[in-house]
Amino acid sequence: MKSKKSGLVSKLTIEIEPSVLTSVVTEEAVEKLDIKPGDRVYAVIKSTEVMVAIAVGEKESESSSSKKSDLSD
């Protein structure tokens, strides 16, 4: 885990193979949890909304073709 302080908040970067999760939390929370760079931490994800967008360009037409074939099954 890496931490970068910026004013009242800290940006935490958590490596979850094969991805990286980034979260912005208050500096107060970092202090209360006594989180330090290199600590092993757990991420609990609670979300009410996830937004997904289509990439513009070549991949858009490829994914549209694949979506159409998936929907016809």
Side-chain angles (χ1 to χ4, degrees), residues 59-73:
K59 288 191 175 192
E60 181 180 336
S61 61
E62 291 174 11
S63 67
S64 293
S65 303
S66 121
K67 284 180 189 173
K68 287 177 185 174
S69 65
D70 289 345
L71 293 174
S72 64
D73 290 343

Side-chain angles (χ1 to χ4, degrees), residues 1-2 12-17 20-25 29-30 33-36 38-46:
M1 193 274 317
K2 298 176 187 173
L12 304 180
T13 304
I14 304 167
E15 294 180 26
I16 303 172
E17 293 296 330
V20 175
L21 176 72
T22 302
S23 179
V24 176
V25 298
V30 173
L33 292 170
D34 195 26
I35 298 174
K36 295 179 183 60
D39 283 352
R40 290 181 55 107
V41 297
Y42 292 92
V44 177
I45 300 168
K46 178 181 174 185

Side-chain angles (χ1 to χ4, degrees), residues 4-10 26-27:
K4 181 178 180 183
K5 185 177 179 179
S6 177
L8 297 175
V9 296
S10 286
T26 64
E27 185 57 27

